[in-house]
Amino acid sequence: METPVVGRGGAPAQGDVLATPDLLAVDGEVSRGGPSVRERIGGAFLGRPLVYGLRDTDLERTPGEPGRAVLVCFPFDLEELPGGRRYEEVTLTVQLPDGMHALSLEPAAGAVAADGSEIAVFGLGRPRLRWTFRAVGRGGALRPDGRWAQAVVRMPATADAVSGRLSLSTTIVQPVLGGALRRRSAQTPYDTAFRIAAEEAWPTAASLAQHRALPGAWALTGYEDDLPDVKAEGPESEEEKLPPGLRRLCLAVDIEKYSARDNADMVRLQRVLLRTLRGACARAGVAWERCGRQAQGDGYLLVLEPGADETRVVPHFLDGLTEGLAAANDHAEDTNSAGESARSGRPHAVRMRASLHQGIVHEADSGYAGSAVVSLFRVLDSAPVRRVLHESPDSHLVVAFSDPLYTDLVGTGYAGLSAEGFERAEIEIAAKNFTGVAWIRAMRPAAAGQ
């Protein structure tokens, strides 16, 4: 029988959120004559692992090594910390049963996460796996959500499930009197068991090699345009030129608490994301196929073609995003009220952060490059934007304009771009040496009185 998982306080976890354990301080206080008291200083959300079956062509078999290989993705979020506290380091540990071991690990050792954190990895060829994410620089902080790790795991031929145990440990920095900082270690008080039956594995839809660094997203393709075949080219030469740098309007979006969803909901969210973006493009008169597009798993980067009329495109695009999310959430509520999904305990609301900026963008070999794109994502992931979304439970979308774009569009009074509701915020990310100004607004459908 499968070991039951528990949520915070010992309650069963809901749906496919595996568990929501506390993070308890290691430096517990000892009461006189009593047991050690461990203080709760944070929390975590462990998603139910996602398992994808691999085809024989995805991985070379080692001679004499029986069994089959599967890709297992481990999504998790950390609870946002109040009072100026921040996560400096977090380690995810996965213990597989005897007879299973890792053939490859992602992110790999020495990789850099989306928020700039450095990653140390252990466990290749072993049943015990460990990923450590460390913030860079003095004052660096880890982004609390959207984290994942994945491994290609060799299963014995007789195994009918992927199973194991998960745990988290962290280092948290908190300010104390006098401006000093105190580092505290915390960890989950128990290991969380998981077991995914082999028949529940998602089938693959593309080669593993094509999407090496994505957390299982390659197995869910089919909702995007097909990519053209890429022929192998020789090594770089000094004659290669910098690709053209063109001034582009850029939009980035990110789904709130994506990795805390269950498998089916993650698939649904990716569909909603693409459908909403396509609908917003149509609303704004923007040709989807002429936009630069870069999937981020739980988010998306859209680079509009040069020469777009921003005074018309931006207000219509935001209306399209707002109403598209409202329609998707209305549909989810209808499904829930009908009882089909209510029994699963899944969260249904799709909520997003969005940021808009313009600047010089280069179309590089593996994505879009340029300081404009970097600034766009710094603002998108910033604490002020996250705070506004958290404090606006009746809104499905929060948008942040860069200061120059706000001045050009909103500050000059173009139709559909009222300054009402915008909040000016100073963005400072010391670990990234980034400072800037953003104008943030919680969006609501016109019918709701926006």
Side-chain angles (χ1 to χ4, degrees):
M1 183 177 70
E2 180 175 344
T3 303
V5 298
V6 295
R8 184 156 296 150
Q14 296 296 313
D16 278 349
V17 175
L18 189 65
T20 55
D22 294 326
L23 292 169
L24 303 182
V26 174
D27 54 342
E29 299 177 0
V30 179
S31 58
R32 179 176 298 179
S36 174
V37 178
R38 301 181 65 187
E39 177 188 357
R40 180 185 186 277
I41 59 175
F45 302 85
L46 298 176
R48 187 169 184 257
L50 292 80
V51 178
Y52 304 90
L54 300 183
R55 301 173 299 183
D56 289 340
T57 55
D58 284 324
L59 204 66
E60 293 184 3
R61 287 186 175 274
T62 302
E65 188 173 28
R68 57 176 169 168
V70 294
L71 176 73
V72 189
C73 180
F74 305 99
F76 68 98
D77 287 342
L78 299 172
E79 183 181 283
E80 294 200 25
L81 298 174
R85 293 184 294 158
R86 55 184 169 81
Y87 295 100
E88 188 176 63
E89 180 177 298
V90 60
T91 296
L92 170 70
T93 300
V94 180
Q95 180 65 59
L96 300 172
D98 292 340
M100 295 188 187
H101 61 273
L103 300 177
S104 71
L105 302 170
E106 293 288 343
V112 177
D115 63 351
S117 55
E118 296 177 341
I119 304 172
V121 180
F122 172 83
L124 192 62
R126 301 168 182 260
R128 185 174 179 83
L129 320 176
R130 187 171 64 238
W131 290 266
T132 298
F133 302 82
R134 296 190 183 96
V136 178
R138 181 177 177 82
L142 293 178
R143 171 179 168 176
D145 62 355
R147 297 212 168 268
W148 59 270
Q150 67 184 29
V152 173
V153 174
R154 176 71 73 192
M155 298 172 57
T158 56
D160 62 354
V162 180
S163 60
R165 308 186 73 85
L166 304 174
S167 63
L168 285 174
S169 60
T170 67
T171 299
I172 294 173
V173 177
Q174 63 183 63
V176 294
L177 293 177
L181 297 176
R182 179 187 181 190
R183 285 178 174 80
R184 305 187 69 185
S185 297
Q187 61 188 19
T188 51
Y190 50 81
D191 291 349
T192 299
F194 68 89
R195 183 179 187 277
I196 312 297
E199 60 265 23
E200 295 181 32
W202 292 87
T204 60
S207 169
L208 174 63
Q210 292 178 10
H211 301 276
R212 190 72 179 180
L214 296 183
W218 54 273
L220 304 176
T221 55
Y223 310 109
E224 258 288 21
D225 301 334
D226 292 333
L227 294 174
D229 293 335
V230 178
K231 296 181 179 180
E233 298 180 354
E236 285 188 354
S237 68
E238 295 182 359
E239 297 178 357
E240 287 186 304
K241 296 180 180 179
L242 181 71
L246 300 174
R247 184 165 295 276
R248 312 284 289 270
L249 176 64
C250 304
L251 168 86
V253 295
D254 186 90
I255 300 173
E256 180 189 47
K257 296 194 180 302
Y258 172 84
S259 60
R261 308 301 185 104
D262 64 34
N263 297 8
D265 223 26
M266 286 185 180
V267 176
R268 181 182 73 89
L269 291 184
Q270 291 195 17
R271 291 173 179 169
V272 169
L273 174 62
L274 282 176
R275 187 165 57 244
T276 302
L277 286 172
R278 285 178 178 268
C281 280
R283 175 78 173 262
V286 172
W288 172 262
E289 65 275 4
R290 300 193 63 167
C291 292
R293 308 189 300 276
Q294 188 169 311
Q296 307 288 127
D298 58 348
Y300 215 86
L301 169 65
L302 204 62
V303 181
L304 276 64
E305 61 181 313
D309 183 352
E310 297 170 6
T311 65
R312 299 178 186 274
V313 165
V314 170
H316 290 310
F317 200 97
L318 292 179
D319 287 344
L321 281 180
T322 304
E323 293 175 12
L325 287 174
N329 288 323
D330 286 345
H331 175 73
E333 289 178 4
D334 290 343
T335 303
N336 196 50
S337 63
E340 178 182 350
S341 299
R343 291 184 294 273
S344 71
R346 296 178 193 149
H348 284 282
V350 185
R351 306 180 75 227
M352 293 182 189
R353 305 187 310 278
S355 62
L356 283 157
H357 186 35
Q358 62 175 337
I360 301 297
V361 176
H362 297 272
E363 188 170 353
D365 293 346
S366 59
Y368 289 88
S371 58
V373 176
V374 173
S375 297
L376 184 77
F377 280 98
R378 294 285 187 262
V379 171
L380 180 70
D381 291 334
S382 67
V385 178
R386 292 174 178 273
R387 174 183 56 78
V388 173
L389 184 61
H390 177 73
E391 295 175 355
S392 307
D394 58 338
S395 178
H396 307 305
L397 175 70
V398 163
V399 61
F401 282 65
S402 66
D403 192 44
L405 190 63
Y406 178 89
T407 301
D408 287 346
L409 296 181
V410 183
T412 48
Y414 285 106
L417 290 169
S418 169
E420 183 179 356
F422 276 97
E423 167 188 328
R424 185 181 185 276
E426 299 279 350
I427 309 294
E428 183 174 358
I429 307 174
K432 305 293 185 181
N433 195 28
F434 177 84
T435 58
V437 172
W439 295 84
I440 309 169
R441 179 184 180 184
M443 304 294 294
R444 294 173 179 82
Q450 181 178 325

